[in-house]
Amino acid sequence: MKKLLLFAVLAAMFVFAGCSQKPKEEAKPAEAPAAEAAAPAATGDVIKIGVAGAHSGDLASYGLPSVKAAEFVVKSINDKGGLLGKKVELVVVDDVCKPEVAVSSANKLVSEHVVAVLGHICSGATKAAMGTYLAAKIPVMSPSATSPELTKSGEYPNFFRTIAPDDSQARLEIDYITNVLKLKKIAIIHDKGDYGKGLAEFAKGFAEADKKLEIVLYEGITPGAVDYSAIVQKIKQSGAEAVLYGGYHPEAAKIVTLLAKKKMNVKFVSDDGVKDDTFIKVAGQYAEGVYATGPKDVSKNPLAIEATKKHKDAYGEDPGAFYLNAYTAMLAITNAIEKAGSTDYDKLTNALRTEDVETPIGKIKFDEKGDAIGAEFSVYQVKNGVYVEVQ
Amino acid sequence: MDYFLELFLGGLTRGSIYALIALGYTMVYGIVQLINFAHGEIYMIGAFTALIIASVLTILGLNSIAILVIATAAAIVYSSAYGYTVEKIAYKPLRNAPRLSPLISAIGMSIFLQNYVLLAQTSDFLPFPRLIPEFAFMEPVSHIFSSAELVIVSTTMIVMVLLTLFIKFTNIGKAMRATAQDKTMALLIGIDVDRVISVTFIIGSSLAALGGVLIANHIGQINFYIGFIAGIKAFTAAVLGGIGSIPGAVLGALILGWTESFATGYVSSDYEDVFAFALLVLILIFRPAGLLGKAETKKV
Amino acid sequence: MLEISNINAFYGNIQALHNVSINIKQGEIITLIGANGAGKTTTLMSISGIVNPKSGEIRFNGEVISGKKPDKIVQMGLAHVPEGRHIFPYLTVMENLDLGAYLRKDKENVKKDLEHVFDLFPRLRERKNQQGGTLSGGEQQMLAISRALMARPKMLLLDEPSLGLAPLIVKQIFDIIKRINQEDGTTIFLVEQNANLALKVAHRGYVMENGHITLEDDAQKLLVNEEVKKAYLGI
Amino acid sequence: MENILEVKGLTMDFGGLRAVDSVDLYVKPKEIVALIGPNGAGKTTFFNCVTGIYTPTKGDILVSSNNGSAVRINGFKPNRVTERGLGRTFQNIRLFPNMTVLENVMIGKHCRLSAKIFGALFRDKKTRAEELKAAQECYTILEKLGLEKACDELASNLPYGDQRKLEIARALATEPKMLLLDEPAAGMNPQETVELTHLIRRIRDTEQIAILLIEHDMKLVMNLSERIYVMDHGQKIADGTPMEIRNNPEVIKAYLGEDIDA
Amino acid sequence: MAQEILKSLKAALWFMFLTFPIMVIKVNTVYKTIEWRWMNMIFIGVGIFVGSFIWRWLLNRKDRPVAKKDFVPVSTRVQAYLAENPMAKRALQGVLLAALLCFPIFMDAYQINIFTVALMYIVLGLGLNIVVGLAGLLDLGYVAFYAVGAYTYALLNTTFGLSFWLVLPIGGALAAIFGILLGFPVLRLRGDYLAIVTLGFGEIIRLVLENWNDFSHGPSGIAGIDKPDFFGLELNLNQMTDAIYYMMVAFTIITIFFVGRLQNSRIGRAWLALREDEIACQAMGVGRTRTKLMAFALGATWAGLMGVVFAAKTTFINPASFTFLESAIILSIVVLGGMGSIPGVILGALIMILLPEYMRSFSEYRMIVFGGAMVLMMVFRPQGLVSNFRRKYSFHGVDERLGG
């Protein structure tokens, strides 16, 4: 019987191993018409584009919207006959936002011969994977990896992104506090995470360089902790007039709620991770008056309206985080392939840098380092339960 | 002084929540010598059940006190049911297995339950409805101690007293103590040990559920992952106090809560967890059985 | 009253009992003697359901009890005082005794039995609020027997009650065992290594060796049996 | 020091309980000495103090070292005590159940070997030679005790009597000057006990080591030992030759009990 | 039979009740809508009904008394056969080695990469096996040593440009030192306390890495770490993947070889004995402190070495790679495979790493299956897949055997 069990486990392993060797089946986008999927497309007949990011685990909510965005774009392209006369196919890989898994995922995409990659979602995972893509000469476009290092270091010429880097956000926040809110003392709080702490570091640097703001508190909190009242007391004690928070909305909502409950009158300024409707839903009345930076308002952009509508029609709810950025990235990639008339790396990157493309976040192209020209941030404030652009 | 008091009260709240979860760890450990890693998940499931039931009832338009009561009751019932089932599936068949096996099984269960909730519900944070009303009499002090915090602390205290009385005076409480001290003998005097173990899991899970509802209400949001950190912290508290000891768990939890609160307040929240774990390591080095744990006498 | 027929029990892959058969009639004191590791304790554990014999059958008052859960067996009137006493060390003497009556619902009679037990062992009355673990060895043995009596058993299984006790205390305890048998009419199954002592109080005896029953006879006859003398009395 | 072991005024308290109360004892080279007394008299505690498992509250434990001088070993860790030449067995057998018989004995050899990590990893010539020698010596010990056939069995699969013997073999492998046996005959049947008596005597004769044993089997004790110490309630109540002890009224009263005529 | 059906029916009903709020109701708190997913309840009911039969059947099989007295598990029989037939053993080793060496020829970079990761976990598992399997010390913070190795290389490489091969021993040694530092205070603690303290230690290391920006670059991690260099060769991506793979194969073989030797050495015996009975072991002359520290240090060394390899392989590290879950996975490898057994750990690592990896096709169901499988494995085979097998000695040909 023990033999049987052992055998079963081993057999199961081989079955799984077998499955994975037929990646075409797993990789086909859910929306693709059945006829297409059935057609045994030789590599020459399709253009494969990779989509990588966290699709499971606790960060899945940041990664899954990009898959949906990519699927919508690809569907509309294929409906119109494809790119360069070929169908576009997505290869979706999950990196759970872990560097080591990201490397495996990148390897998988490389061995699938993708021509470009939409992803990854987290900066850390992106950095880990970039080496693999660079060696394989594959352009990568992230909708969400905001670490400035990715573009500014110049180490990753194949990297592009449709979101502005953290430092520009930090700059904007500091300027807003100094010039518009005209406050003097701030507390900088972050979530010890890659994104939040990175942003906080920049904000701290800018504030110290400007010498106009006094940083009375600079500290990290632990995401997922049971209670944040101690740090809130400390903010109160520090006499800060504003809290600049680097991190995501769950913790921000907790802090904002506590600040309000403790009847503290401090401004709360945060980042793109907080400029999320979930934040307002979670924090409810306490969200009122919170400032957050985020990509320029695109609610009037017809492409953005269309993209959002597609999602609502298909899934019955608003799209999640970075959906529009991913949509943009997918449009930019496919547009570049079209314009370059080829999937060749040099031609493709050149097209990305030279050809303007209309996207949900406006008309963009990419600078030498890979940052999107035209993707900028503005400041929003929660008024009557919605984020309103104030600058 | 005010600052100190605020930190003290904050630590008390935090410690109370830890205590509710730590009790489950300590009771289970006392009886089956097992670190029930899935206990944090039971807490999370309690919070989720309360959220789901409360939302449904809100949509149906019940008043908030009724919702609070029903949701809490549902959370307790379901958490207990999960605790009971987890024991039956993942631990009971392993009663006589090598020591590490149930631990691995528990870790597996924890991963399983997290992903179960993730798949069945969502990975997003969900806003938890505010069910505990603001008491008017708390108004003057609400800036340092809110109504929700009062409810948390007082509930914990009441539960603690009830639990102590239960363990001390009821028949099943005595059976629990007997089983913890000598399982064979408990069997020999006719105690249905399996049943006692089930009851232990049920009580521990109920307390965790209560903790889950209270904290979710206080913090205002939950997701499938909240059990992990709370679980680790509560477990640390249980060990700190001396695992297996009920007053130890409460003491350990409060000390942990205060350590974290004061460490954040007077040093830096950057290292809040480092302080917590360092405290644990220190205490165990000087008192290897924890603060109120019974040192085991070596028998040769 | 108790019929053990041909039971075989294993620990892992090692067979501890080989076709063990024992018969005990109502009101008897039966002793099972044998060296350490002979399988005496396993026999008792099989009776009270802690060890499950792989084959064979145990009947108590005509009803099959092998395979039943221990609490059901206790409920039927079998109380077991295990080797090493197994006092709950952090419970008081009173709590230990209370737990002896765990399955009983007749609270009034329990109170009476408590008095009875305190009469048998006045020392326990003096120490009723002390923790079990702080008692001396002899007192613990008294407590262990009393706790079993609190279940008001029809039959008492005693495993090495003399173990580790001073001779004087042993004498006391054996006197009480006799009293319990004579006054309350409780059947007693006594497992002892101290064969001499056990055979003096018992009516009949069984001798066990390496998991087999090798001899069965009246206690008086066993006492003078040369085999037994040589093997177990060290003479 | 002419005695191999000398214990003076040994006292051991557990909390408020005095388990051993200023006991004196000595053992000369190649002597067989027994320590007897009713259960709970403190014999095993005494053993545990001597072998370093407990640190005695008061008193001196002296062991003669190789050059003949006395070394005080109070508070030494058990392994250091073993290195000093005291090997022991346990009352309730404490073998390593999931290791083979030979491996069990080789653990006894541990403190006489010197292989370090380097040797273990690279298995150099010296290490190999040492291992080989150790294995052979252990095998020889097993042969002496008649366990060589079982050498690849797991210790837990041995019959009870052989497990007792294996404990002795393991203790012998530590190359002791003195062997402390804690109830070696417990649980053995009469034949086995007789064999054991011969075995212990043979060990003393061939290995030239002293033996201190705790035992309940009076026949074995009287047969084997040259001197006997009697303990009761933590105190030494008598010592002397078997003859003296047999006739000591104090001993008869305390140990055998007044009306137990076994 | 009717009773069996009734039992299954009860189980099904119970689980339908149990999963009701979480599986059936889905509330959208924003739009105030409730989605009732009654289908789920039916799935659960049917699934549990069937599953319950299988569960009981398996449990019965497990509990059934072993008929033959001398029953020997398959894995032990295989091992015994191999031990007695050196030719067969050599042949098997040869086949396995050939398969490992030829693997890259037939597989693409992705497969090779996955296999490299699996090999890394084999080595980590074998390292932890020294601590948990052999010495019996439950370590839940093993990943801390892995982190020490990884950060050693990352920092030394990015700031001083030290090469992989130079840092490899440094990383191992530093991890060993950390092992001893941790070992000292916790030696006195028994089982579960040791577990929680090591868990705490692991967390402390991770938190320090996360917070001490000046030292570790905090959560954003260290990027641009050099890949290992192989004799100064210029390698492209695929060649590099192959090279690292072969390096890991070599590493794994060396580790298996060393751990095997450790296990059958004086020290290895002392570990086993310490695990079996600490007091008896001390009384037989084995120094507890020394022996335990040695286990901690050696176990940590392998983690440190793998940390260096990890940093070099991914070229980017951040504290997120060194969480408790990672420790739990490595521990599971050891326990799943069979504590103290080298083939067991290898099998455990392959299952734990390859299974979830190949299950990526089920993406979101991967982790739940992983967790469930861990539970089922423990319930039905708690001693692990491969039973520990002790080496035998033969004293007729003692010279050849021991000399070999």
Side-chain angles (χ1 to χ4, degrees), chain C residues 14-140:
Chain C
I14 297 169
Q15 186 159 11
L17 298 181
H18 300 264
N19 288 322
V20 170
S21 298
I22 292 173
N23 275 302
I24 301 174
K25 291 198 253 340
Q26 179 125 27
E28 273 189 317
I29 300 184
I30 295 298
T31 182
L32 176 64
I33 55 177
N36 216 338
K40 306 183 303 279
T41 298
T42 312
T43 309
L44 286 195
M45 291 297 192
S46 303
I47 299 172
S48 31
I50 308 284
V51 172
N52 259 331
K54 296 289 180 218
S55 63
E57 197 177 68
I58 305 173
R59 283 166 177 275
F60 183 62
N61 283 335
E63 203 176 319
V64 180
I65 57 168
S66 38
K68 283 200 172 177
K69 283 172 85 181
D71 52 307
K72 296 282 174 291
I73 295 170
V74 175
Q75 186 104 56
M76 293 173 70
L78 260 169
H80 185 161
V81 181
E83 180 182 355
R85 305 182 277 271
H86 288 263
I87 294 302
F88 299 115
Y90 303 109
L91 298 184
T92 63
V93 169
M94 271 305 284
E95 287 172 324
N96 266 288
L97 291 172
D98 271 357
L99 277 168
Y102 179 73
L103 290 174
R104 290 175 60 183
K105 303 276 180 279
D106 47 340
K107 293 287 166 234
E108 275 312 300
N109 290 333
V110 170
K111 251 181 215 154
K112 251 186 259 165
D113 285 351
L114 192 65
E115 284 309 308
H116 175 58
V117 159
F118 280 152
D119 290 342
L120 282 175
F121 300 104
R123 284 277 276 285
L124 294 181
R125 194 197 302 271
E126 294 163 31
R127 307 193 171 230
K128 64 178 178 190
N129 292 321
Q130 214 168 311
Q131 281 200 341
T134 63
L135 298 181
S136 74
E139 289 162 350
Q140 288 193 359

Side-chain angles (χ1 to χ4, degrees), chain A residues 48-244:
Chain A
K48 288 186 184 173
I49 297 175
V51 181
H55 306 144
S56 64
D58 49 343
L59 294 169
S61 57
Y62 295 107
L64 288 173
S66 70
V67 181
K68 289 174 184 161
E71 282 167 358
F72 287 129
V73 174
V74 167
K75 185 171 187 306
S76 68
I77 286 172
N78 285 342
D79 285 350
K80 286 178 201 148
L83 270 181
L84 309 177
K86 295 174 185 174
K87 291 285 174 199
V88 180
E89 198 176 281
L90 292 179
V91 184
V92 182
V93 288
D94 178 12
D95 70 4
V96 246
C97 267
K98 277 187 157 185
E100 64 273 24
V101 186
V103 173
S104 295
S105 309
N107 265 309
K108 183 164 174 70
L109 291 180
V110 170
S111 57
E112 287 280 330
H113 304 290
V114 299
V115 298
V117 174
L118 168 64
H120 296 215
I121 299 300
C122 301
S123 295
T126 312
K127 282 181 208 165
M130 282 315 293
T132 307
Y133 294 126
L134 185 59
K137 295 210 156 209
I138 296 173
V140 177
M141 191 176 293
S142 171
S144 58
T146 51
S147 167
E149 224 182 301
L150 279 165
T151 46
K152 308 239 151 112
S153 70
E155 277 180 47
Y156 313 109
N158 58 332
F159 181 76
F160 301 88
R161 64 179 149 209
T162 54
I163 190 161
D166 290 338
D167 55 343
S168 60
Q169 237 184 125
R171 181 74 259 172
L172 182 61
E173 286 169 27
I174 290 292
D175 287 347
Y176 193 79
I177 294 172
T178 322
N179 304 331
V180 182
L181 299 176
K182 301 205 189 312
L183 301 174
K184 294 274 177 267
K185 289 178 171 176
I186 60 164
I188 300 179
I189 307 294
H190 59 84
D191 66 356
K192 299 185 191 171
D194 186 359
Y195 166 67
K197 191 171 180 182
L199 205 135
E201 287 278 319
F202 279 110
K204 185 172 166 225
F206 293 139
E208 279 165 357
D210 292 352
K211 297 199 173 71
K212 284 181 193 152
L213 281 173
E214 187 193 349
I215 300 169
V216 290
L217 188 66
Y218 180 81
E219 244 168 77
I221 56 162
T222 312
V226 168
D227 184 27
Y228 291 115
S229 58
I231 190 73
V232 170
Q233 305 292 2
K234 205 169 180 182
I235 293 169
K236 187 176 177 188
Q237 185 78 357
S238 72
E241 296 162 314
V243 175
L244 192 157

Side-chain angles (χ1 to χ4, degrees), chain E residues 70-81:
Chain E
D70 309 293
F71 174 80
V72 185
V74 180
S75 60
T76 310
R77 264 187 276 166
V78 171
Q79 289 178 73
Y81 175 78

Side-chain angles (χ1 to χ4, degrees), chain D residues 78-93:
Chain D
N79 54 310
R80 309 270 301 132
V81 174
T82 309
E83 281 168 29
R84 289 274 158 201
L86 300 187
R88 73 167 291 178
T89 65
F90 294 89
Q91 186 180 355
N92 37 1
I93 303 175

Side-chain angles (χ1 to χ4, degrees), chain E residues 41-103:
Chain E
M41 188 178 248
I42 295 167
F43 293 147
I44 291 278
V46 173
I48 295 293
F49 184 76
V50 175
S52 172
F53 283 109
I54 302 172
W55 173 268
R56 285 197 308 273
W57 181 70
L58 285 172
L59 265 191
N60 277 336
R61 288 200 72 128
K62 187 183 135 194
D63 290 342
R64 208 156 52 191
V66 181
K68 283 173 293 175
K69 203 183 161 198
D70 309 293
F71 174 80
V72 185
V74 180
S75 60
T76 310
R77 264 187 276 166
V78 171
Q79 289 178 73
Y81 175 78
L82 291 178
E84 278 157 25
N85 298 283
M87 281 304 287
K89 191 176 174 182
R90 296 264 154 74
L92 184 72
Q93 282 170 344
V95 170
L96 285 177
L97 186 67
L100 275 176
L101 292 180
C102 298
F103 188 75

Side-chain angles (χ1 to χ4, degrees), chain A residues 292-357:
Chain A
T293 52
K296 263 186 335 196
D297 186 17
V298 292
S299 56
K300 306 219 166 45
N301 181 316
L303 274 169
I305 295 167
E306 186 198 326
T308 311
K309 187 174 173 298
K310 275 185 187 169
H311 190 279
K312 265 194 174 161
D313 290 348
Y315 297 101
E317 55 187 16
D318 280 332
F322 309 119
Y323 172 79
L324 288 180
N325 302 72
Y327 204 97
T328 300
M330 207 60 202
L331 283 179
I333 292 170
T334 47
N335 176 64
I337 296 173
E338 181 106 60
K339 294 277 164 60
S342 147
T343 54
D344 176 67
Y345 171 72
D346 292 319
K347 287 184 187 154
L348 201 54
T349 47
N350 188 46
L352 283 168
R353 294 205 167 94
T354 51
E355 300 289 343
D356 280 327
V357 54

